Amino acid sequence: MVLWLDSNGHEDAHGNFDALLAVGEVSSLKCEFAEGAFDKLAAYQSSTQDWIFGYLSYDLKNDLEVLVSRNEDQLEFPALYFFQPEKIIALRGNILIQMYVPEMEDQVNTDFHAIQNQVLSSKNNLNSPISLNHLKIKARLNKSEYLVQVRRMLDHMNRGDIYEANFCQEFFASGRISPLETFSALNRISQAPFAAYFKYAEKYLLCTSPERYLRKKGNRLISQPIKGTARRSDNPLQDAQIAIALTKDKKERSENIMITDLVRNDLSRVAQKGSVNVDELCGIYSFKQVHQLVSTISAKIDDDIPVVDLIKKTFPMGSMTGAPKVSAMKIIENLERHKRGLYSGALGYFTPEGDFDFNVVIRSILYDSAKQYVSFSVGSAITALSDPEKEYEECLLKAKAMREVLS
């Protein structure tokens, strides 16, 4: 059992660590199905009162509302998985922190010296090749099928069923990959603030997410939804112009503002009255692959609210669903052609004090080494102003890094 969380040097006013490694398993919680999963997580978190790491799949929506997930699922990740690690190694600036269970404390010095003496291999060299694999990537939907489904989504909007929804498509391949080397290459070209490498049995998550779902620190909640995307340019002047244009784009801003409003509503379900605040609206953030609009919403909470309830009341994250939320999730289920599973769920940790930090699982490769099945999904926000052709182009832009390391 291994989980590596990497901020890639991004400054984060709400973060605790630059990097965090959890290894081994003292105890664990696995829920194959969504029903009752949040109650089981609440009991597990309460009983351990320790660091626990893991993920929440998108399909836990079915534990919260009268919803179903009937689309094809080749990966078959459990709906929820958390574990209490034997070893935690954290990096904060130049400080290395080692937290081990008593049975492992005799390995502290050995591990510290191994870290000190670690020599980076040529595979991690910035000049080494990016494309490590030679897989034939297939699309679950071809372009014409994608355009038809987006037009159907627009029909729902014209009828007033919803006013925004995140529509996703899957790309997949058969073949063997080296998960760690592939993650290293993907992380090198993405350098995202919420990157993660996760291994559970024969299943892997290689994640280069730029987005935070939800952070609890003391009595404060932070959510940072992303909506609004533009390409990067190698020309610095043109790149700056693209970023400025994104901040002024009515369609992209409307995407972000609608989801910001949805997140405000979600947080108000658990917040102290009048404490929900938009700290930043449509801030421009530039990542290696794309420019994005990011908003930051905060709220204060009462001390007596159970920790897992904070997640139950806000999950799944608004940026990956739509508005109104339940209606959007029903329509998404009917129009998409794959089960999202871990994609567009959340991965992170709880601390012994009951704080937590979770990302949004996007810009990620999912891999089952037993089946030799590789998958990645991408999506975009559909609004009444959407042009289906441009939405397809946005998906390809977001898929670029995953394609590069796989094929």
Side-chain angles (χ1 to χ4, degrees):
M1 187 62 55
V2 177
L3 175 57
W4 166 254
L5 303 173
D6 192 346
S7 70
N8 284 296
H10 286 266
E11 292 186 7
D12 181 4
H14 310 294
N16 267 351
F17 305 100
D18 297 320
L20 198 56
L21 175 67
V23 180
E25 183 181 292
V26 175
S27 69
S28 65
L29 170 68
K30 179 174 73 171
C31 299
E32 293 288 355
F33 305 104
E35 288 69 27
F38 276 108
D39 289 343
K40 293 173 184 175
L41 176 59
Y44 181 62
Q45 187 273 332
S46 178
S47 65
T48 58
Q49 293 290 302
D50 195 4
W51 290 86
I52 57 171
F53 294 74
Y55 70 79
L56 310 150
S57 76
Y58 170 79
D59 298 287
L60 290 177
K61 64 184 174 61
N62 303 339
D63 192 34
L64 304 173
E65 303 288 348
V66 183
L67 298 168
V68 295
S69 298
R70 296 196 179 111
N71 288 324
E72 185 174 352
D73 179 18
Q74 293 288 342
L75 289 160
E76 297 182 318
F77 276 73
L80 177 150
Y81 187 84
F82 278 84
F83 70 101
Q84 180 185 11
E86 295 175 328
K87 304 178 182 181
I88 301 171
I89 301 174
L91 185 65
R92 184 189 294 132
N94 293 323
I95 300 172
L96 189 74
I97 303 162
Q98 292 173 271
M99 297 174 277
Y100 289 28
V101 297
E103 295 81 3
M104 295 289 170
E105 286 179 348
D106 61 340
Q107 298 181 24
V108 169
N109 289 333
T110 303
D111 290 350
F112 179 72
H113 291 304
I115 294 168
Q116 274 190 315
N117 297 325
Q118 180 69 33
V119 177
L120 294 178
S121 71
S122 60
K123 292 168 185 171
N124 293 323
N125 191 297
L126 291 176
N127 297 317
S128 64
I130 294 297
S131 185
L132 305 170
N133 308 291
H134 304 281
L135 302 182
K136 185 177 180 181
I137 307 295
K138 301 176 183 178
R140 184 69 59 192
L141 294 170
N142 62 37
K143 182 179 179 180
S144 61
E145 290 170 330
Y146 173 88
L147 297 177
V148 167
Q149 298 302 75
V150 171
R151 291 186 186 110
R152 287 175 177 166
M153 185 79 77
L154 290 171
D155 288 341
H156 281 287
M157 293 176 184
N158 292 332
R159 287 199 298 267
D161 300 331
I162 51 173
Y163 53 89
E164 179 170 7
N166 190 279
F167 181 64
C168 301
Q169 59 174 317
E170 182 195 21
F171 295 85
F172 64 96
S174 296
R176 189 178 298 278
I177 66 172
S178 169
L180 188 56
E181 291 181 18
T182 302
F183 169 72
S184 180
L186 183 63
N187 194 38
R188 192 164 76 243
I189 61 176
S190 299
Q191 295 181 27
F194 299 101
Y197 173 87
F198 177 57
K199 178 186 185 300
Y200 159 67
E202 74 282 359
K203 300 184 188 296
Y204 296 82
L205 167 67
L206 320 178
C207 176
T208 54
S209 173
E211 184 172 0
R212 170 179 273 126
Y213 155 48
L214 196 63
R215 167 83 164 108
K216 175 187 177 291
K217 189 172 185 179
N219 71 339
R220 193 162 184 248
L221 287 180
I222 296 288
S223 185
Q224 295 180 294
I226 291 179
K227 274 287 164 275
T229 305
R231 67 181 180 87
R232 299 295 307 267
S233 171
D234 292 332
N235 181 304
L237 179 59
Q238 187 181 45
D239 191 59
Q241 291 171 339
I242 292 170
I244 293 169
L246 176 60
T247 66
K248 298 178 180 180
D249 188 299
K250 290 184 179 179
K251 186 262 180 184
E252 302 293 330
R253 286 184 63 86
S254 69
E255 283 183 19
N256 192 296
I257 291 167
M258 283 190 277
I259 293 305
T260 296
D261 192 51
L262 188 154
V263 172
R264 286 176 63 248
N265 182 68
D266 281 349
L267 293 187
S268 71
R269 300 173 70 189
V270 295
Q272 294 176 4
K273 188 174 181 179
S275 71
V276 178
N277 186 64
V278 179
D279 301 341
E280 182 179 34
L281 182 64
C282 296
I284 184 73
Y285 287 75
S286 299
F287 303 102
K288 291 284 286 185
Q289 300 290 321
V290 290
H291 298 292
Q292 304 258 219
L293 297 180
V294 183
S295 292
T296 300
I297 305 99
S298 66
K300 291 182 179 179
I301 53 172
D302 292 323
D303 294 334
D304 58 351
I305 297 180
V307 171
V308 173
D309 278 6
L310 300 171
I311 295 173
K312 282 181 68 174
K313 298 293 186 182
T314 60
F315 192 86
M317 57 292 301
S319 62
M320 298 307 296
T321 52
K325 200 173 192 178
V326 175
S327 296
M329 288 190 287
K330 288 178 180 178
I331 292 167
I332 285 167
E333 176 67 23
N334 289 332
L335 294 181
E336 291 182 354
R337 289 293 176 262
H338 71 293
K339 182 179 178 180
R340 289 191 183 183
L342 181 47
Y343 171 73
S344 77
L347 178 133
Y349 62 86
F350 293 90
T351 72
E353 297 77 28
D355 289 338
F356 58 74
D357 201 2
F358 285 89
N359 74 0
V360 180
V361 179
I362 53 176
R363 319 289 161 83
S364 300
I365 296 169
L366 296 166
Y367 175 53
D368 186 313
S369 62
K371 293 182 178 180
Q372 295 187 30
Y373 184 85
V374 183
S375 168
F376 64 90
S377 298
V378 289
S380 66
I382 310 301
T383 71
L385 297 175
S386 289
D387 177 337
E389 288 275 354
K390 289 183 178 179
E391 298 298 337
Y392 186 76
E393 291 170 7
E394 181 177 322
C395 286
L396 295 185
L397 177 62
K398 292 173 177 175
K400 181 175 181 291
M402 280 85 78
R403 278 186 175 277
E404 191 170 344
V405 300
L406 292 175
S407 64

